[in-house]
Amino acid sequence: MRIAYDRDACQGHNRCYQLAPELFDVDEEGYAVLLVTGEVPAELEEKAQLCADNCPEFAIEVEA
Amino acid sequence: MTDTVPETKRPPVEDWATDFDHTHPDYAANAPEIWDDLRERCPVAHTERFGGAWLPTKAADVRAIAEDTDRFTSRGIIINDFRPELDIAPRGYAPPITSDPPFHAGARRLLLPPFAPKQIEAWEPMARACCRELLDEVEAELAAGGDVVDAATAYAQDIPVRVIAAMLGLPQEDGDKFRMFIHRILETPGQHDDIDPSETLVAYLSEKIRERRESGADGDDLISYLLTVEGTDGNRLSDEHVFGTIALLLIAGIDTTWSAIGASLWHLAQHPDDRRRWVEDPDVRIFAIEEFLRFYAPVTMARLAAEDTEVGGCPVKKEDWLLLSFPSYNRDPEAFEQADEFVIDRARNRHSAFGLGIHRCLGSNLARLELTVAIEEWMARFPDFELADPGTVRWSTGQVRGPRCLPVRVLGHGAA
Ligand code: SF4
């Protein structure tokens, strides 16, 4: 599974960091920082999907 | 401050589609039903009140307005009978919430760091201690007799007041004053021409800012920070900017979070299964909190049309008001499965309780922390409770929605 994150769309709702700190950190202004480079480790796939489904700004996309 | 049943000078509403009034007590009592009805038959309601305003109820229309800062200005965010003057744009009265681009980004950037998730985590012990202290008081009251307590006034409202007072460096004892200012500004806008000028938010904050300046503004609170920080242009902020931002921080977090905590307790009081689930399954809490926020989103923002335009096919005139009903967005079946049901473990929850776009609630991390801690602490102390008398629950009017009077009967405590 691949994950992509659009920094321009992100408004810092912080849902992703809250749901999956293994995949997302936040910078000092509260915007998300994607911690993996595209490919999601198998054990985190469910969490990646959760992040994508909960971002109010549609800033996260996953692709099976 | 004890809230009494709101008096209204407003005429009753016959049809919400053509004459809505969100400051009317009838709206407060039935808002979710009104949104559902409007979404079905007239998704963009209109009113001639307030000099002309629109209420889109579908998620897609709300999102389109929130994302379009060219067609819609934030110069006015609380609907009133008067429009804020044109020349206060792009800063507005309370930057950054009342600011438009490009001014907005700089004003917001100054405030993002103190409200970022990791900075806000540091306030958790204080918030938790505050909840426990309030619960001790509630318990003492229950022990003194009776088993009923007003969860809105004896618990929910004091949590955000105390935390924001501490962040700003204002005295905790001034909480009643904050609530009075907020009540006038948010709940009954435009209905107060008879107030002594020395009793206003303007007078109060001007005095506090003057004191802070005179003492050197070297504290580690937010007022000192705003008085000393340099804006993106390298200069200190203007007096109007500092004043507006402090007013915003003081006002924006109190009724909103009070409402979210109160509505969540109102829900739990009526749903023993959800109470049990909360207690027995700690993993569900992270989802439950977001579902409280979705289902009982307290905040509706407003915009002014910057030009003649249209929303959902309706002709909007320049300077018309638009209500951005995030609460209605959150109950739109086109955006959520089982939109009209509270699902405590809802895993897909793209709710907009904190708004959308560049004005995303700056305090959302703090609000989420306060809501989580408040519910955790209440449920740890009083896992079983019910509404004492559903007829006495009163919901606020205006653009912030939550129970202002919430008598609950604590089960298994008190008069034993
Ligand atoms: S949930 Fe979306 S908007 Fe929020 S921080 Fe993550 S990517 Fe950004």
Side-chain angles (χ1 to χ4, degrees), chain A residues 11-15 17-19 25-31 49-60, chain B residues 63 67 108-109 112-113 116-118 121 286-287 290 347-351 354-358 360 364-365 368:
Chain A
Q11 297 292 350
H13 287 260
N14 185 27
R15 300 287 305 282
Y17 170 60
Q18 205 198 11
L19 289 164
D25 197 359
V26 271
D27 69 17
E28 61 173 28
E29 291 186 346
Y31 293 101
Q49 186 68 53
L50 208 53
C51 291
D53 288 345
N54 282 282
C55 173
E57 309 287 351
F58 294 84
I60 302 167
Chain B
R63 180 179 288 278
E67 286 176 349
R108 184 171 170 93
R109 180 159 302 140
L112 286 170
K118 290 173 190 175
E121 273 167 28
I286 194 170
F287 299 108
E290 300 307 319
R348 297 167 56 99
N349 195 348
R350 227 186 272 280
H351 71 75
F354 293 117
L356 295 167
I358 64 165
R360 184 266 307 169
S364 64
N365 300 304
R368 185 178 279 120

Side-chain angles (χ1 to χ4, degrees), chain B residues 76-79 97 252 256 299-303 322-327 355 359 399-400:
Chain B
I77 52 154
I78 306 288
I79 291 194
I97 201 172
T256 52
V299 182
T300 294
M301 276 291 135
R303 297 283 187 268
L322 293 115
L323 271 178
L324 274 187
S325 178
F326 298 114
H359 290 283
Q399 287 175 226
V400 178

Side-chain angles (χ1 to χ4, degrees), chain B residues 128 131-132 134-136 138-139 149 151 155-156 159 260-282 284-286 288-289 292 342 344 370-386 406 408-413:
Chain B
R128 209 172 278 285
C131 292
R132 289 185 179 164
L134 289 164
L135 288 167
D136 288 345
V138 168
E139 217 158 24
V149 59
Y155 184 61
I159 300 162
I261 298 170
S264 305
L265 292 173
W266 181 76
H267 176 92
L268 289 168
Q270 300 171 84
H271 295 89
D273 290 350
D274 288 342
R275 288 203 301 276
R276 208 168 309 123
R277 186 80 190 273
W278 175 280
V279 171
E280 289 170 4
D281 181 4
V284 85
R285 294 178 191 173
I286 194 170
I289 290 293
F292 286 134
F342 183 96
I344 195 166
E370 290 177 349
L371 174 61
T372 306
V373 166
I375 302 301
E376 275 174 6
E377 292 298 324
W378 175 282
M379 288 299 290
R381 193 83 63 111
F382 305 131
D384 264 314
F385 58 106
E386 62 187 16
L406 181 61
V408 299
R409 176 173 298 107
V410 173
L411 305 171
H413 253 270

Side-chain angles (χ1 to χ4, degrees), chain B residues 111-143:
Chain B
L111 290 170
L112 286 170
F115 286 94
K118 290 173 190 175
Q119 267 57 45
I120 288 302
E121 273 167 28
W123 288 95
E124 181 177 337
M126 192 259 159
R128 209 172 278 285
C130 164
C131 292
R132 289 185 179 164
E133 212 177 290
L134 289 164
L135 288 167
D136 288 345
E137 286 167 24
V138 168
E139 217 158 24
E141 199 184 313
L142 294 174

